[in-house]
Amino acid sequence: MKKNDSFELEITDLSDDGAGIGRREGYVWFVKDTVPGDYVEAAVTKEKKNYGFARLVRVITPSPDRTDPACPIARQCGGCQLQAMNYAAQLRFKERKVLGNLRRIGGFEIGEDKTGQDKTGGTASAVTVEPVIGMEHPFRYRNKAQYPIGKNKDGRIIAGFYAGRTHSIIACTDCLLGCTENRSVLECIIGWMTEYGIEPYEEENGRGMVRHVLIRKGNASGQIMVCLVINAKKLPGAEALTEKLLLLNETFRKAGEPAVQITSISYNINQEATNVILGRELVNLYGPGYIEDSIRRLCVDPEDGSFTPAAEPPVRFRISPLAFYQVNPGQMERLYSTALEYAGLTGRETVWDVYCGIGTISLFLARHAKKVYGVEVIPQAIDNARENAIRNGFENVEFFVGKAEEVLPAWYEKTGENRREKIDVVVVDPPRKGCDEKCLETIVKLAPERIVYVSCDSATLARDLRFLCQNGYALRKVRACDMFGQTVHVETVCLLSKLKVDHHIEIELRMDELDLTSAESKATYDEIKSYVLEKYGLKVSQLYIAQVKRKCGIIERKNYNVSKKEDAKVPQCPPEKEAAIMDALKHFQMI
Ligand code: SAH
């Protein structure tokens, strides 16, 4: 077929990036904007040897899962790959995506019944897939928006979105995923730019001033942060801008939401020729330089996985423009509550929160742990984390700035062989690229009982889980959480637990289960110790007695020192003491 030739096709599947898939005479077609179950007319855009791409011309028979996109520019924008699919079908797609990656990349065998076997480490163990956590209202959920600023064909300043995979901006000040105040803020900024002759940044030649507008809203506090990303050291007309933006607070108040207020205005300097949105430097124009939000803990119903608020005060957070903060506050509470439940804390545990951001998960855990350590690469986020800890009254948290793959190994070395602090739980929540292998290796060395892995990319998640499961851990639970409705992205939380077999064999035998000869139960460790001390003047440890007993074929609780890995490190009973212990065992008629 030639480019633009059209043909009919039944869509039967969806690729991970949300394109419909149809098969025709053994050849695979990817058709964007289609839904499994659609029968469509498509036109060729590109052909490869075994597969090709086509665009949707018209839907001949719609899928039962098809719905009308709520956003008029959904197809052009490309940000919401799944808007044409009803929400229940979106959730099914996301769960399938996670499980597919766990199978293909992770090597986990998870059946259609959502139970499975983790065989990656050679040890079969049961995996439970818990029901996907969906949203009640899958629109208007985002607390953060980053709008590029540019000009349209007529030379008018516009804010909007890059058209899918391009750098041309489609005008749109009211993305349906974002909050309703974004529009007023953007229109105010465009009005100010027009009035003061301030030009949008031009990517092609590096001229112009305003690159992006970042807007963040604290869901619980109603506080709004506005941050302009500019291509200069100073922002001309900054005072006027601040004044104009603050006037909006009147309209927000009138709209019947007294709590909704712009409380922070700043600009960020980014003079690099890059598509990274934010630069490093921030200049504050109004307010304290951060907004606040709070997160409640929810209880997870063990029967159906549903959530109800827990009877404890929410954790309050300060968020600076540069720090990462989850974009979906409602789902964030559910995600973190699930992570907390998986962590299985009783108040006695020492926990590492790796990739901790502003300490959201760390502080969420802190109330239920003895000690929480956090590590994060962005210094401002750690500043926030430390302030947040103080404000919430947590004294059992400590934060480190740096790369997890450097800070964690250094901490492990520094705590030293003998002083090594036992880590009970490690929580990781890395960016899309997943964990650095050095970081994973150190986690394995820390040997926590449980690892809770929170991931926004199920492909790198599957890769990292495979590594952990090949190094002494077993995957126990998997739960997908929809943080990003209408898009193909999905968050996942997983629980892994340490396998016992590799480290030590725990066999607890009750005395009455043992076929003891009368002599075997005769002497306690203390009696043997006293006998050896009195007769030989030697001090012997319980460990040495256990070693000698085992040599003599006396069954022991096996968790003293039979670890394969640790054998080398465990001190072995010297011959002189061994002879003395043997004598004691004979004396007590145990051998
Ligand atoms: N747990 C936090 C943040 C998760 S996002 C929350 O839920 O809010 C991932 C975080 O990892 C970001 O804050 C990012 O700045 C940080 N990060 C990225 N690479 C890192 C690295 N190599 N070492 C430590 N932190 C890193």
Side-chain angles (χ1 to χ4, degrees):
M1 279 198 283
K2 296 189 306 296
K3 190 164 178 182
N4 289 327
D5 276 358
S6 76
F7 58 97
E8 291 183 8
L9 185 72
E10 188 189 351
I11 303 297
T12 51
D13 210 342
L14 209 57
S15 71
D16 276 3
D17 57 4
I21 299 175
R23 285 174 183 81
R24 203 165 163 263
E25 294 154 15
Y27 190 81
V28 177
W29 288 100
F30 292 93
V31 192
K32 259 181 64 186
D33 308 308
T34 60
V35 172
D38 278 347
Y39 190 73
V40 301
E41 182 184 340
V44 179
T45 51
K46 199 174 183 178
E47 277 188 279
K48 300 262 187 191
K49 192 157 173 273
N50 300 316
Y51 62 93
F53 299 92
R55 71 188 149 78
L56 173 65
V57 177
R58 70 187 167 107
V59 179
I60 300 167
T61 318
S63 156
D65 290 333
R66 178 171 271 281
T67 183
D68 282 337
C71 172
I73 59 160
R75 266 183 83 173
Q76 291 157 280
C77 162
C80 291
Q81 305 85 354
L82 303 182
Q83 260 203 41
M85 201 154 111
N86 70 43
Y87 191 56
Q90 289 184 24
L91 291 179
R92 287 200 301 274
F93 160 76
K94 292 189 187 196
E95 196 173 63
R96 263 207 323 275
K97 178 174 168 174
V98 170
L99 299 186
N101 280 332
L102 290 182
R103 289 185 194 113
R104 273 195 312 275
I105 303 168
F108 298 95
E109 287 177 17
I110 298 173
E112 286 308 312
D113 62 351
K114 312 274 175 61
T115 60
Q117 296 278 310
D118 158 14
K119 291 189 172 167
T120 53
T123 315
S125 66
V127 183
T128 308
V129 180
E130 300 197 306
V132 55
I133 307 171
M135 282 181 241
E136 274 129 36
H137 308 290
F139 284 98
R140 298 270 183 222
Y141 58 81
R142 281 186 71 99
N143 57 12
K144 174 180 162 186
Q146 298 179 120
Y147 283 83
I149 307 292
K151 278 188 177 173
N152 67 6
K153 285 200 196 83
D154 308 331
R156 292 223 344 257
I157 299 171
I158 52 168
F161 292 97
Y162 292 120
R165 293 171 202 270
T166 76
H167 281 224
S168 60
I169 299 172
I170 303 164
C172 169
T173 49
D174 189 24
C175 166
L176 296 182
L177 303 190
C179 52
T180 50
E181 293 82 8
N182 290 345
R183 180 183 203 150
S184 318
V185 171
L186 291 166
E187 284 172 0
C188 173
I189 293 171
I190 291 171
W192 162 83
M193 287 176 70
T194 313
E195 193 179 329
Y196 284 78
I198 290 165
E199 293 290 316
Y201 175 70
E202 289 172 48
E203 228 172 18
E204 314 77 52
N205 55 30
R207 280 192 230 128
M209 171 77 66
V210 182
R211 300 172 71 127
H212 273 85
V213 174
L214 163 71
I215 309 170
R216 241 179 194 170
K217 182 176 173 186
N219 193 48
S221 68
Q223 296 178 357
I224 296 176
M225 162 192 292
V226 181
C227 178
L228 273 69
V229 185
I230 64 165
N231 175 38
K233 290 259 182 286
K234 256 186 98 79
L235 182 67
E239 261 177 42
L241 173 69
T242 307
E243 237 168 69
K244 275 179 186 289
L245 282 171
L246 291 177
L247 275 179
L248 289 177
N249 282 344
E250 292 299 316
T251 60
F252 292 156
R253 203 170 281 138
K254 276 183 204 136
E257 290 180 274
V260 177
Q261 295 284 280
I262 296 174
T263 56
S264 164
I265 304 172
S266 58
Y267 65 87
N268 172 269
I269 300 166
N270 185 357
Q271 294 179 288
E272 309 276 311
T274 166
N275 53 12
V276 175
I277 295 178
L278 290 169
R280 282 166 203 242
E281 212 180 315
L282 266 177
V283 179
N284 200 31
L285 293 174
Y286 173 81
Y290 56 78
I291 54 162
E292 295 175 307
D293 200 15
S294 59
I295 308 177
R296 295 167 309 165
R297 184 185 149 217
L298 309 172
C299 295
V300 190
D301 187 315
E303 289 293 310
D304 62 2
S306 64
F307 298 87
T308 43
E312 64 181 47
V315 186
R316 295 182 302 160
F317 292 96
R318 285 180 180 175
I319 309 151
S320 86
L322 291 177
F324 173 90
Y325 188 63
Q326 289 286 359
V327 298
N328 184 332
Q331 291 299 89
M332 169 167 59
E333 288 186 336
R334 294 169 169 185
L335 178 75
Y336 290 171
S337 299
T338 308
L340 180 61
E341 190 218 79
Y342 283 4
L345 301 182
T346 62
R348 292 190 296 270
E349 294 79 5
T350 303
V351 185
W352 261 101
D353 177 15
V354 185
Y355 308 93
C356 70
I358 60 168
T360 32
I361 296 181
S362 325
L363 300 189
F364 220 63
L365 300 168
R367 189 171 278 140
H368 304 275
K370 185 174 90 191
K371 174 92 198 197
V372 180
Y373 294 106
V375 56
E376 159 65 44
V377 77
I378 295 181
Q380 287 88 344
I382 287 293
D383 291 344
N384 283 166
R386 290 184 179 136
E387 288 161 16
N388 289 331
I390 294 168
R391 281 192 75 227
N392 287 282
F394 292 121
E395 288 174 357
N396 58 340
V397 287
E398 193 177 328
F399 293 104
F400 297 82
V401 183
K403 291 185 177 166
E405 57 274 24
E406 290 169 7
V407 170
L408 217 53
W411 183 88
Y412 177 78
E413 292 308 325
K414 211 174 117 212
T415 54
E417 189 70 30
N418 299 323
R419 286 177 293 120
R420 186 153 291 142
E421 202 174 335
K422 182 170 165 7
I423 299 300
D424 302 287
V425 179
V426 172
V427 178
V428 292
D429 183 8
R432 280 199 195 151
K433 67 175 195 282
C435 295
D436 190 281
E437 197 159 303
K438 187 93 194 131
C439 171
L440 290 177
E441 279 169 9
T442 314
I443 292 172
V444 169
K445 281 194 204 157
L446 290 173
E449 285 304 317
R450 289 177 294 286
I451 300 173
V452 180
Y453 196 130
V454 181
S455 157
C456 56
D457 185 317
S458 51
T460 56
L461 167 75
R463 178 202 66 198
D464 292 351
L465 292 182
R466 187 186 178 94
F467 179 94
L468 291 169
C469 289
Q470 284 167 343
N471 286 280
Y473 284 84
L475 180 60
R476 300 290 178 194
K477 286 183 184 176
V478 178
R479 192 161 193 195
C481 175
D482 187 21
M483 304 284 272
F484 317 102
Q486 317 304 333
T487 79
V488 289
H489 302 292
V490 56
E491 197 86 10
T492 313
V493 50
C494 295
L495 170 66
L496 297 103
S497 64
K498 191 164 73 168
L499 285 169
K500 302 272 187 270
V501 283
D502 254 356
H503 299 272
H504 56 250
I505 308 160
E506 271 186 356
I507 305 173
E508 284 212 32
L509 293 168
R510 295 214 321 269
M511 290 304 264
D512 58 4
E513 284 172 357
L514 286 171
D515 181 19
L516 290 172
T517 65
S518 61
E520 277 172 347
S521 60
K522 261 185 179 158
T524 65
Y525 280 97
D526 283 340
E527 286 169 328
I528 296 168
K529 281 180 191 172
S530 314
Y531 179 87
V532 173
L533 186 63
E534 246 173 52
K535 189 163 174 192
Y536 296 93
L538 292 173
K539 278 193 173 178
V540 291
S541 66
Q542 187 154 327
L543 173 74
Y544 288 165
I545 300 171
Q547 286 173 354
V548 177
K549 275 172 130 182
R550 199 170 318 110
K551 264 194 177 173
C552 299
I554 300 173
I555 302 165
E556 270 297 334
R557 271 172 63 111
K558 291 217 171 174
N559 55 353
Y560 282 120
N561 70 335
V562 288
S563 148
K564 281 180 218 152
K565 278 199 178 152
E566 285 164 14
D567 258 349
K569 287 189 214 147
V570 170
Q572 295 298 313
C573 183
E576 183 195 15
K577 291 189 176 179
E578 186 177 318
I581 295 168
M582 287 272 205
D583 181 34
L585 297 180
K586 278 185 200 143
H587 169 81
F588 291 112
Q589 298 177 7
M590 293 168 76
I591 50 174

